[in-house]
Amino acid sequence: MYHELYWIVVSRKENIKDEHIREMEKYFKKIHIVGLNTKHSVLDYVKSLFVSKPYIFNRFDIEEISIKSREYVDKHNIDLFFCDHIYLAQNIPQGIENQIPVIPNNEDHAFTYYYRLANSGDFLRSIYAYFQWRKILKFEIDIYKKYGADITTSEKEKDLLLEHDNSLKIEVVPNGVDLNFYTPCERTDFTQNVVFVAWYRYYPNEKAVLDFVKNVFPFVKKVIPEFKFYVVGKETPKSFERLKNVDGVIITGEVDDVRPFLVNSDAVVIPLQVGGGTRLKILEAMAMGRPVISTPVGAEGLNATNNENILIANDDKTFADLIVKIINDRELSYKISINGRLFVEENYGWKEIGNKLNQIIQDNFAYFKKNNK
């Protein structure tokens, strides 16, 4: 380990188990958990249309984070503040940037998601997103300028930000995968199926499943009657209730370990139409040696190569055809699987990414010290 770490984590406390805390205590000197209020209403969304602060930022405006951050910096001689999501940066106590370097890290830029939603969502969501994305962009850029640094996960999102303000200093550190945990292993269930793993409270994931079952699944089912589609992940929405009556669609809900579902699939599908960032689920699937079939948006942010280490479908019919092909063509399946694993080994292993992030941290610390003597 390069540094002594202190962690203020924001989460729903009921989701954090004692074994999770014990595991993280191996790496962090001190941990403080801040409860996240996930309750929100239609009225909250409506109110957000008439204020300057974007709704998603307002949800993460939490005073306890600011109080605890100030306490950590003052009591524990903290050298650098790493904020692992742009929404939380608003809680960094005023003036800390004059004491120590601050690095905001953004796993996905919300303004890109809302911008796409404004152009592709249903009517009400489109109207709401239209009024939100510019607010979000302004807040993000103001934060980057305040701290003089930003880390994003893909070159594409870096370029999108620079289009709006080319003075920003942005580093790219991609999302990565634990290659020892997600590793190829023997398949035990040869039922013909594909799997999608996601958090379904996130609207793009919900929409992806509904669209897939409506527009892709029936075409595959017609060719392969035994075909199954596994929808794996927590917080499944009410809209999924009707899918339980669709023959071959299995809604698992939250599972303790996604690896058995990945390894026993013919392919992992990423049918996203809107979103941002890079797809951890693609990296996990590739690391386990499973073929990945994705929309262009789903694979955005990764430097994967179509027909080499991933299969890209530009429309529903192509998506269905690729699923049938990957199930029936063992040679193609093997090629995409092997190349996918090599791809993540070469580009997205934790060790290489950790080294890059550490170098950015060291450089920012040295720069701050040099300019604040």
Side-chain angles (χ1 to χ4, degrees):
M1 187 180 295
Y2 296 111
H3 311 286
E4 186 175 88
L5 304 173
Y6 293 77
W7 189 26
I8 300 171
V9 57
V10 182
S11 179
R12 290 193 300 171
K13 290 189 176 182
E14 63 270 22
N15 285 352
I16 299 180
K17 300 176 182 178
D18 290 342
E19 57 263 35
H20 297 159
I21 296 174
R22 287 194 294 271
E23 178 64 24
M24 297 312 292
E25 283 176 341
K26 297 176 184 177
Y27 309 100
F28 290 89
K29 182 85 172 179
K30 206 172 187 66
I31 297 173
H32 179 80
I33 301 171
V34 177
L36 176 64
N37 180 12
T38 58
K39 294 181 180 179
H40 47 101
S41 66
V42 173
L43 183 59
D44 293 328
Y45 285 110
V46 173
K47 287 179 179 178
S48 71
L49 296 174
F50 303 98
V51 296
S52 60
K53 180 181 282 191
Y55 172 72
I56 196 165
F57 276 82
N58 195 53
R59 281 191 63 207
F60 289 91
D61 187 348
I62 306 171
E63 186 179 12
E64 184 182 349
I65 299 175
S66 182
I67 293 170
K68 207 66 188 177
S69 297
R70 172 52 67 188
E71 177 187 317
Y72 273 21
V73 170
D74 291 345
K75 287 187 176 181
H76 301 293
N77 196 30
I78 302 297
D79 294 305
L80 182 141
F81 200 111
F82 187 84
C83 185
D84 197 24
H85 211 298
I86 194 69
Y87 310 146
L88 299 175
Q90 63 187 310
N91 299 299
I92 299 173
Q94 193 66 31
I96 275 187
E97 71 276 10
N98 299 321
Q99 295 177 248
I100 57 175
V102 176
I103 304 176
N105 177 52
N106 209 348
E107 63 188 47
D108 60 79
H109 289 276
F111 87 88
T112 61
Y113 159 53
Y114 279 94
Y115 176 77
R116 285 178 173 148
L117 193 61
N119 293 284
S120 62
D122 61 43
F123 178 72
L124 288 179
R125 281 192 171 92
S126 296
I127 295 298
Y128 175 76
Y130 176 80
F131 287 102
Q132 286 291 305
W133 80 266
R134 290 184 183 277
K135 292 182 185 180
I136 294 170
L137 176 62
K138 182 182 184 306
F139 259 73
E140 288 190 10
I141 288 177
D142 286 348
I143 287 170
Y144 307 146
K145 286 190 168 182
K146 179 177 181 179
Y147 299 118
D150 172 44
I151 295 176
T152 190
T153 58
S154 75
E155 291 290 342
K156 185 172 183 63
E157 294 204 319
K158 173 182 176 179
D159 292 342
L160 285 171
L161 280 168
L162 293 177
E163 283 180 17
H164 294 279
D165 191 326
N166 60 15
S167 69
L168 299 175
K169 179 187 174 185
I170 303 172
E171 300 281 359
V172 176
V173 179
N175 288 322
V177 62
D178 184 347
L179 295 172
N180 294 320
F181 186 80
Y182 293 98
T183 190
C185 49
E186 187 176 353
R187 183 175 180 176
T188 57
D189 180 356
F190 292 89
T191 305
Q192 294 168 315
N193 74 89
V194 298
V195 61
F196 180 44
V197 180
W199 172 50
Y200 294 107
R201 192 165 182 173
Y202 183 50
Y203 172 70
N205 294 332
E206 175 188 357
K207 177 176 170 55
V209 168
L210 296 175
D211 289 348
F212 183 88
V213 173
K214 178 182 178 182
N215 301 319
V216 177
F217 181 79
F219 289 104
V220 183
K221 191 75 171 172
K222 189 178 295 184
V223 179
I224 306 173
E226 302 81 15
F227 177 68
K228 290 180 173 59
F229 173 42
Y230 284 91
V231 180
V232 179
K234 62 184 179 180
E235 299 192 56
T236 52
K238 291 181 180 179
S239 61
F240 284 10
E241 286 299 316
R242 66 179 184 268
L243 302 184
K244 294 178 180 179
N245 298 320
V246 180
D247 179 42
V249 175
I250 296 105
I251 312 291
T252 70
E254 185 174 3
V255 298
D256 291 332
D257 191 349
V258 301
R259 290 175 298 174
F261 293 92
L262 297 178
V263 76
N264 287 311
S265 69
D266 288 286
V268 174
V269 295
I270 313 292
L272 287 164
Q273 300 297 332
V274 291
T278 52
R279 312 298 171 204
L280 281 171
K281 299 309 176 188
I282 290 182
L283 301 180
E284 291 168 0
M286 287 179 166
M288 292 201 69
R290 303 318 302 149
V292 175
I293 305 172
S294 176
T295 60
V297 169
E300 197 171 68
L302 300 175
N303 295 318
T305 304
N306 188 25
N307 293 315
E308 184 65 26
N309 45 40
I310 195 171
L311 296 174
I312 301 296
N314 291 297
D315 55 70
D316 295 331
K317 183 62 167 59
T318 303
F319 212 127
D321 289 343
L322 286 174
I323 291 173
V324 172
K325 189 172 184 180
I326 206 74
I327 289 174
N328 292 326
D329 189 338
R330 295 293 103 190
E331 186 176 333
L332 175 64
S333 176
Y334 181 78
K335 169 190 166 184
I336 300 298
S337 299
I338 293 296
N339 289 342
R341 173 70 191 190
L342 291 173
F343 174 68
V344 293
E345 286 179 353
E346 293 171 359
N347 298 283
Y348 295 100
W350 274 2
K351 182 178 180 181
E352 292 73 16
I353 290 172
N355 288 337
K356 182 173 184 179
L357 177 58
N358 182 62
Q359 189 60 56
I360 291 171
I361 288 172
Q362 299 280 23
D363 291 346
N364 273 268
F365 180 74
Y367 179 84
F368 183 89
K369 285 295 184 183
K370 180 180 178 180
N371 290 276
N372 291 272
K373 291 181 179 179

